[in-house]
Amino acid sequence: MENQILFTPLKLKNGAVIKNRFLKSAMSEGMANSKTNSPNELHVNLYRKWANGGTGLLITGNVMIDRQALGEPGNVVIEDERDMEMLKKWAEAGKENNTHIWMQINHPGKQAPKSVAKESVAPSAIEIQGDLKSGFVKPRELTKDEIKNLIKRFGKAAEIAKKSGFTGVQIHGAHGYLISQFLSSADNVRNDEYGGNIENRMRFLVDVYNEMREKVGKEFPIGLKINSSDFSNNGFTEEESIIVIKKMSEIGVDLIEISGGNYENSKMLSERGDNEKVFFIDYAKKVLSLIDTPIVVTGGFKKVETMQKAIEKEKISMIGIARPVVIYPNLPNEIKEGNISSVSLERLTTGFRGLDKKLGGLIGLSYYEQQIRRLAENKPVKIHRNAWSPLLFTILYHGKNALKPRRR
């Protein structure tokens, strides 16, 4: 079988085995209860569908650690065990068909939109800049006691994930959220042990990992999603990213997913269409020569042939796919059967070029949230190019404030 390499198991350093090389990368589901931020049967249905679609490892949409600090409408939040029974059902559904399901754990920091937050905190009191500035709450600088509290919260969420049956967790250290802010010298100008050189700026991430590891033990997988760079002036550089990845590999992180940007300078949202451009593959090749931790590359994969080459020739450990498994929830199964050789994603439009440019990534986010909900409601995806439909969907479920910027 030509694509057999994609279906060979991957054994992590801690002994966990993932049945194939497909990782469903995190996408915000936007389906939690708007008042309690609790998961529900929609999450259960959705992840059961994806598990039975053949993906080896499912990463959940970001689960926040503080109900006062949301990144998007409809975020799931874990502060304690109040939703334990539903979390167990969610995890059980995601483990069907011998699948791994890892909870992605996150905090937005200053990337907290006004539509869902009254205040925000960050490593330093530096506002989000540019056209999106008005959509976000001006942050205040975290105190050291607050930093310690947040580290405990990350650990508590990981502990609950394990207790409820998830097979691993992923730390979200990318895309402009709190950990990414600590790593970036553009966002972090502290003059204590959490700011300054890269060794200090990565301290928060290292402390979060160590707290999680203490809570879940050595054999429970902890992954990391990290930027190759944030592509901003005076921000987190590729050289610094390599330093952080080497450190995290040394202290025991089990799987590293490479991403990039911060939604203000996003390599992943800026290029869409039928032309295949696999993002971050060259960077990943540099990293692979320095560490022994498995690497996932997410973004841009459309052809099965390219996926195979990434595993076989480039020595990438897993293929990260997100939007393709929304449109094709059975994609790994279809690839295994030889029914699909490539995927195609539609480019949406309002019909007005200027409006398309202004709304940018929001159109895509809304469209895929719309399709995710259809999957969760056991309806077929509805492929179309009309941007107005997902925008109206967003207003229906989250109110008109959800049309304000959600991420940089």
Side-chain angles (χ1 to χ4, degrees):
M1 185 183 297
E2 289 185 6
N3 57 30
Q4 184 62 45
I5 190 69
L6 296 171
F7 295 93
T8 56
L10 174 66
K11 187 173 184 179
L12 303 182
K13 288 188 292 185
N14 66 358
V17 177
I18 301 168
K19 69 179 181 181
N20 62 37
R21 302 308 179 94
F22 290 101
L23 175 145
K24 194 286 291 180
S25 191
M27 292 173 284
S28 181
E29 304 94 359
M31 299 190 304
N33 181 287
S34 60
K35 294 182 179 179
T36 65
N37 301 105
S38 303
N40 52 55
E41 292 290 347
L42 292 173
H43 295 86
V44 175
N45 293 343
L46 176 65
Y47 281 82
R48 177 178 290 117
K49 189 176 294 291
W50 273 330
N52 287 293
T55 302
L57 171 54
L58 304 173
I59 308 291
T60 71
N62 49 22
V63 172
M64 297 299 179
I65 58 174
D66 185 345
R67 282 180 168 78
Q68 304 307 311
L70 302 182
E72 296 94 12
N75 280 157
V76 172
V77 177
I78 291 183
E79 296 178 326
D80 48 43
E81 297 187 12
R82 71 184 75 178
D83 295 317
M84 182 60 72
E85 292 310 307
M86 187 55 69
L87 288 170
K88 287 180 177 179
K89 290 181 70 175
W90 185 6
E92 199 61 33
K95 289 189 291 189
E96 290 187 10
N97 194 25
N98 192 29
T99 307
H100 271 259
I101 177 170
W102 294 9
M103 181 187 291
Q104 187 186 77
I105 303 177
N106 194 13
H107 187 289
K110 67 179 173 184
Q111 203 159 262
K114 290 180 178 178
S115 60
V116 293
K118 294 181 180 179
E119 68 169 5
S120 69
V121 293
S124 302
I126 299 173
E127 289 184 85
I128 288 175
Q129 301 300 311
D131 295 339
L132 301 179
K133 179 178 178 178
S134 63
F136 294 90
V137 181
K138 182 179 180 179
R140 64 172 178 79
E141 182 172 300
L142 284 160
T143 67
K144 277 200 265 189
D145 284 344
E146 288 174 326
I147 290 172
K148 300 297 184 186
N149 177 261
L150 288 173
I151 292 166
K152 295 291 185 185
R153 284 176 177 266
F154 272 97
K156 182 67 174 178
E159 183 180 32
I160 292 171
K162 180 181 179 182
K163 187 174 181 179
S164 59
F166 287 82
T167 61
V169 294
Q170 184 189 64
I171 302 168
H172 197 341
H175 297 172
Y177 293 108
L178 181 63
I179 291 174
S180 179
Q181 291 162 32
F182 268 96
L183 292 172
S184 173
S185 55
D187 293 322
N188 180 355
V189 295
R190 300 177 70 94
N191 56 13
D192 60 11
E193 65 267 36
Y194 289 99
N197 60 33
I198 187 59
E199 285 74 20
N200 282 354
R201 283 184 277 121
M202 75 167 108
R203 191 182 307 277
F204 181 69
L205 169 59
V206 171
D207 287 354
V208 164
Y209 170 80
N210 287 333
E211 179 71 16
M212 284 185 172
R213 185 57 77 197
E214 183 177 331
K215 295 295 185 182
V216 301
K218 293 181 179 179
E219 296 181 358
F220 188 75
I222 300 177
L224 170 65
K225 186 169 190 172
I226 187 168
N227 285 347
S228 62
S229 167
D230 59 19
F231 308 109
S232 62
N233 293 329
N234 303 314
F236 187 54
T237 67
E238 187 174 291
E239 293 74 21
E240 290 176 333
S241 178
I242 289 173
I243 291 171
V244 175
I245 285 175
K246 286 176 66 178
K247 174 67 174 181
M248 297 306 294
S249 177
E250 287 169 7
I251 63 177
V253 74
D254 295 293
L255 187 67
I256 297 174
E257 181 182 1
I258 304 295
S259 192
N262 59 14
Y263 288 93
E264 190 173 300
N265 298 287
S266 175
K267 291 290 185 183
M268 308 234 344
L269 297 183
S270 62
E271 301 183 50
R272 293 291 180 196
D274 292 331
N275 294 327
E276 184 173 46
K277 179 177 172 121
V278 178
F279 307 99
F280 318 120
I281 194 87
D282 291 335
Y283 170 81
K285 285 158 65 176
K286 295 178 187 177
V287 172
L288 281 167
S289 66
L290 302 173
I291 66 172
D292 61 358
T293 302
I295 292 288
V296 184
V297 171
T298 297
F301 287 105
K302 293 185 175 70
K303 298 177 182 177
V304 174
E305 180 183 359
T306 307
M307 299 176 190
Q308 293 169 198
K309 180 182 176 183
I311 301 293
E312 190 168 19
K313 295 185 179 179
E314 312 295 359
K315 306 304 180 185
I316 304 302
S317 295
M318 298 194 77
I319 303 298
I321 47 177
R323 292 179 172 187
V325 290
V326 176
I327 305 303
Y328 307 93
N330 293 312
L331 181 60
N333 285 344
E334 295 291 341
I335 291 173
K336 190 173 186 178
E337 295 299 320
N339 297 331
I340 288 181
S341 61
S342 65
V343 297
S344 177
L345 303 178
E346 296 290 342
R347 184 185 291 272
L348 279 78
T349 179
T350 62
F352 300 94
R353 184 175 296 180
L355 190 58
D356 288 350
K357 185 176 181 180
K358 183 176 181 179
L359 293 176
L362 176 62
I363 292 173
L365 290 172
S366 299
Y367 175 74
Y368 285 95
E369 282 183 5
Q370 179 186 42
Q371 302 307 327
I372 283 171
R373 186 173 283 265
R374 289 185 66 85
L375 289 176
E377 292 174 345
N378 295 315
K379 298 175 183 177
V381 296
K382 194 171 183 179
I383 300 173
H384 60 81
R385 299 185 69 242
N386 178 10
W388 292 107
S389 173
L391 292 173
L392 291 172
F393 162 86
T394 294
I395 294 172
L396 174 65
Y397 281 100
H398 301 305
K400 63 182 181 180
N401 283 336
L403 293 181
K404 294 178 179 178
R406 296 190 228 169
R407 311 172 187 172
R408 285 189 282 170

